[in-house]
Structures are given as structure tokens and as C-alpha cells.
Amino acid sequence: MKAYRKELHFRTKTRRAFVHITPQVEAALAESGIREGLCLVNAMHITASVFINDNESGLHRDFERWLEKLAPEKPHDQYDHNGYEDNADAHLKRSVMGREVVVAVTDGKLDFGTWERIFYGEFDGMRDKRVLVKIIGE
Ligand code: ZN
């Protein structure tokens, strides 16, 4: 069995952002040389997500509005977590959107459903963040 590890780096210009990362994961898979196995992609931070959904900008605006209704950023003092920090909403949004995805690798490709694409969800951005790609197989 082979194992491959890579970190992707992000620094978004805005506090919240969705970044399409399928091309970077596909590049990592190509570098790994693995043809059959599993590909894990996870956020390495507790205020960011990795998730799979449609690459459609209207849907991403819908996610943003929906998450702001569930866990509004402001007022900051509505959250017990916000003493020295102001990112309680980011922790909650990350929990809703998830930490990681696992995609099957078949014949050297990510074995997606038709509209599945991988996204990095940033909820407390404008700082350096990392995503782990771990691929195992042969
Ligand atoms: Zn925090």
C-alpha cells in the first residue's frame, strides 16, 4: 500500500469564503501515483470546513445566507466563546458544514457523482490556514 500526504494553503481576502479545490486535490492525486484507494481531505482548523457540493455560485450565496441565519457573526457578544475572540460563529458554521470528505479513488480518478465537487469553506479568514490531503491505496 502507498501513502501520500500534502498540505494545501489558504489565506482568503474575506472573513468568509468558499474556494473550489477539486483541481488541487486532483493534482495531489496525480502526484501520488495511486490508482485505487481512498482520498481524505480535511480542514486543519476548527473554523474552516471541507465539503462536497455543487459548483454553482447561487448555491454558495444560499449557503452564506443560511449559515448567517443559523449562527450570525454579529453581535459578537451574543456568544459565550467571544471573550478574547470574535469567532464563535465560525466554529458553529464549521460544525454545520463539516470537517472533511473522503472520496473513492478508482482508476486514478476521484470517483465522484455527476455534480460533486470539493470546496474549502472559510469562516474566519484573512489568516494562514491549511487543508490536509491524505491518499492511501495502490
Ligand atoms: Zn475561537
Side-chain angles (χ1 to χ4, degrees):
M1 190 195 77
K2 280 198 268 189
Y4 173 91
R5 182 187 192 278
K6 184 177 193 177
E7 289 182 12
L8 309 178
H9 294 259
F10 299 92
R11 188 185 180 94
T12 60
K13 291 187 167 65
T14 52
R15 179 179 170 104
R16 287 188 292 280
F18 295 126
V19 183
H20 181 215
I21 62 170
T22 308
Q24 286 153 280
V25 178
E26 286 174 337
L29 177 57
E31 285 164 27
S32 77
I34 291 170
R35 307 283 302 168
E36 297 290 331
L38 291 173
C39 176
L40 166 76
V41 188
N42 69 267
M44 299 177 82
H45 302 268
I46 52 180
T47 54
S49 292
V50 172
F51 63 96
I52 290 181
N53 219 300
D54 196 355
N55 187 18
E56 196 278 305
S57 59
L59 179 66
H60 299 171
R61 290 192 296 276
D62 292 336
F63 272 131
E64 161 65 17
R65 275 199 299 270
W66 179 63
L67 289 167
E68 266 298 287
K69 274 186 216 161
L70 286 176
E73 179 192 340
K74 292 170 181 166
H76 290 137
D77 66 6
Q78 74 188 298
Y79 298 107
D80 288 349
H81 179 68
N82 287 344
Y84 297 99
E85 293 191 275
D86 66 357
N87 65 0
D89 71 300
H91 291 282
L92 299 175
K93 286 164 176 146
R94 174 265 167 81
S95 295
V96 169
M97 296 304 285
R99 171 183 181 265
E100 79 279 304
V101 302
V102 178
V103 182
V105 174
T106 303
D107 200 19
K109 298 247 184 320
L110 297 172
D111 203 340
F112 284 134
T114 306
W115 298 107
E116 288 187 309
R117 299 293 181 272
I118 306 173
F119 295 88
Y120 174 68
E122 177 62 83
F123 306 112
D124 186 19
M126 300 179 286
R127 64 192 76 199
D128 293 329
K129 297 284 197 78
R130 294 179 294 157
V131 164
L132 177 65
V133 180
K134 182 89 182 192
I135 307 169
I136 57 171
E138 55 189 27

